[in-house]
Amino acid sequence: MDADAFWLFDLVGEDIAFWLSYLTNGKHLNWYASFRFTIMAAIFGGCLALVFGLLGAAAKASRFAPLRAIGTVYVSMVRGVPDVLFFLFFPLAFEQGVEWVWSMQVCTPDSIAANQANWPPCREANWLLSTYEYLILACVSLGIIFGAFTANVIHGAMRAVPQGQLEAARAYGMSDFQVLTRIHIRQMWVYALPGLSNVWLLLIKATSLLSLLQIADIVWWAGQLGSPNFLPQAGLVHGDWRWAYFIALFVFYILVTLLSEKGFSRLTIWARRGMPVEG
């Protein structure tokens, strides 16, 4: 091997070592670690959305008029409010509500008068939330928002189950509870899963809003790392590289979408077990 080949291998090795050190520096490690916030928000937000959806669908189908009205208002109102607006409103309202309740216990007229800010009423009532506390509020917000969509899907799926099968189950001597649990809910999932998969993918996309709640998530770090940097001490001088980091996020969300579609396909097969094949 001649000298030129050795020089080429050394140059490639230096480039690889440089990029490995750059992509594994402290800020990039924080970016990789921030993926856990997105994953946690999706999983726990999805679980809460399913819980709120089941409760909302049950309330909407209730024979008790006030409960039915609550379910209808919840589904209609939350679906009509823009996701971003409600996503910001609930955590802020909850935080200030807690501060207001706490201020009634700890604030004195002197501390209120000494406080120059409009909110909270006094410094003692100020609630400084951590990242994980904001994440909990974000999960609840996602659960409430997409729980309304889930409730609408489940309510429609319950009505889509053929009435003839329910009547046949009653003719066999099943009680109303047995008809509900063994026939109605069992077959409801077949009709609900396509709609629930759409709600899940919408929820996945909504996790990109976490930075609005002061959570340093993958979108926030992508913007920070890709911003133009002309400080030599930062390790690498570069222009606007945000497009490259956002492409990486595109790939991440596309992979999550593909995995989700595979998962819902398997769930649909599982839900259809024991049922006659159509066509």
Side-chain angles (χ1 to χ4, degrees):
M1 187 177 293
D2 55 16
D4 291 338
F6 277 115
W7 175 82
L8 181 60
F9 276 115
D10 290 340
L11 182 61
V12 172
E14 290 177 359
D15 288 342
I16 293 176
F18 171 78
W19 284 108
L20 283 176
S21 63
Y22 175 71
L23 294 176
T24 55
N25 61 21
K27 289 186 176 180
H28 280 84
L29 291 178
N30 287 332
W31 183 40
Y32 307 145
S34 68
F35 277 78
R36 72 185 186 276
F37 297 135
T38 299
I39 296 172
M40 292 170 65
I43 293 175
F44 292 113
C47 292
L48 289 174
L50 184 59
V51 172
F52 286 127
L54 290 170
L55 294 176
K60 194 174 180 180
S62 175
R63 297 178 182 178
F64 187 52
L67 190 60
R68 186 170 63 250
I70 292 174
T72 302
V73 169
Y74 165 65
V75 173
S76 301
M77 182 187 71
V78 176
R79 287 192 304 146
V81 177
D83 298 348
V84 178
L85 180 60
F86 195 91
F87 188 77
L88 292 173
F89 165 78
F90 174 76
L92 179 62
F94 183 82
E95 179 184 0
Q96 293 193 354
V98 171
E99 289 178 339
W100 177 74
V101 172
W102 186 241
S103 67
M104 298 177 65
Q105 306 294 326
V106 300
C107 292
T108 63
D110 293 337
S111 63
I112 295 176
N115 186 28
Q116 299 298 322
N118 293 326
W119 194 266
C122 65
R123 293 182 179 179
E124 292 80 3
N126 190 21
W127 185 21
L128 298 176
L129 276 72
S130 65
T131 298
Y132 282 98
E133 288 171 334
Y134 274 119
L135 183 62
I136 292 173
L137 293 179
C139 292
V140 176
S141 296
L142 292 173
I144 295 174
I145 295 169
F146 293 98
F149 292 93
T150 302
N152 200 49
V153 169
I154 293 177
H155 180 69
M158 293 288 286
R159 299 180 65 182
V161 176
Q163 289 295 320
Q165 298 192 27
L166 304 181
E167 294 173 359
R170 294 188 183 96
Y172 271 100
M174 288 188 178
S175 65
D176 290 341
F177 181 77
Q178 288 175 324
V179 172
L180 177 65
T181 56
R182 296 185 181 182
I183 307 298
H184 207 166
I185 294 178
R186 166 73 175 76
Q187 296 192 23
M188 175 271 295
W189 292 111
V190 177
Y191 300 96
L193 282 173
L196 292 179
S197 67
N198 291 331
V199 175
W200 167 252
L201 293 178
L202 289 173
L203 188 149
I204 290 293
K205 292 195 297 183
T207 58
S208 61
L209 303 174
L210 292 178
S211 58
L212 298 179
L213 295 182
Q214 304 180 32
I215 299 174
D217 67 334
I218 55 177
V219 177
W220 186 87
W221 274 111
Q224 294 294 313
L225 293 170
S227 297
N229 181 24
F230 301 106
L231 299 176
Q233 61 268 28
L236 179 65
V237 176
H238 61 79
D240 194 343
W241 283 5
R242 285 176 293 183
W243 61 270
Y245 287 93
F246 289 149
I247 287 177
L249 296 186
F250 291 163
V251 173
F252 167 73
Y253 278 107
I254 289 173
L255 290 176
V256 172
T257 299
L258 294 176
L259 291 175
S260 299
E261 290 179 347
K262 290 288 186 181
F264 273 96
S265 296
R266 291 184 177 275
L267 282 175
T268 302
I269 295 173
W270 173 82
R272 285 186 172 276
R273 72 193 192 283
M275 296 181 63
V277 179
E278 297 181 358

